[in-house]
Amino acid sequence: SQADAKANVVTKREHQFSPKLGLTYKVAPWLSVYGSYTEAFGGNASTGITATGNMLKPESSEQYEIGAKTELFDGKMNASLAIYDLTKQNIATADLANPGFSRSIGEAKSKGVELDVSGEITPNLSVIANYAYNDISITKSNNGDEGNRFANVPRNSGAVWLKYAFKDDILNGLSIGGGIFAADQAEGDN
């Protein structure tokens, strides 16, 4: 009945100011440096029901990032390097003791470096490559996993993708590509 459906509906309304600030400075025609600060709020809406029927608190985060971006070889090659520090609160994870429900981790902190390179090696061959170092751990928890590495996040990961574009009359417009992705081992749970 309609009354039963309304009785099972759980709603929650949350509000928070979430600023985003950034500054980029062009040091040279080929090099820019930047810094940013971001706060985010939300998430957990689709996965946020506990075994007791309560909704999880919304996820919130705070991130600091500094980096550099460069353009080389008359714009044929681009690269960026970023260093970040990210803290998230109320991250939803599966409740292993109660399948189908979620629980919240108090706080996780992630620090790392990301490097991205893309561009044209030759008129026919282009590359996209990236590397990430991510040191992430649970910094606050009431579930006994404080200090542990966060699940499913490798410390090192990267990829290289190459694309060859045919430019002659017969195969013009056809391209082929391939690549490889590699990552360290990751923890299976928190």
Side-chain angles (χ1 to χ4, degrees), residues 11 17 27 43-44 53 55 59 80 82 94 101 112 141 156 158 161 176 186:
T11 60
F17 178 65
V27 177
N44 291 348
M55 293 181 74
E59 190 175 281
S80 64
F101 294 99
S141 176
N156 294 285
W161 300 95
I176 59 172

Side-chain angles (χ1 to χ4, degrees), residues 101-120:
F101 294 99
S102 299
R103 66 181 180 94
S104 179
I105 292 175
E107 181 180 270
K109 191 166 191 75
S110 175
K111 295 179 183 180
V113 177
E114 293 179 349
L115 173 65
D116 294 294
V117 177
S118 63
E120 197 176 279

Side-chain angles (χ1 to χ4, degrees), residues 2 16 28 41 45 53 68 71 74-75 83 99 108 112 115 133 154 162 165 167 172:
Q2 197 173 25
Q16 183 173 322
F41 177 74
E71 186 176 285
D74 295 324
I83 300 170
L115 173 65
Y133 171 81
L162 295 172
K167 307 253 180 177
N172 191 27

Side-chain angles (χ1 to χ4, degrees), residues 130-144:
N130 59 55
Y131 167 76
Y133 171 81
N134 192 356
D135 183 18
I136 183 168
S137 61
I138 299 167
T139 53
K140 292 181 185 173
S141 176
N142 58 5
N143 300 314

Side-chain angles (χ1 to χ4, degrees), residues 32-51:
S32 297
V33 294
Y34 70 92
S36 68
Y37 172 79
T38 304
E39 288 183 17
F41 177 74
N44 291 348
S46 62
T47 59
I49 302 296
T50 67

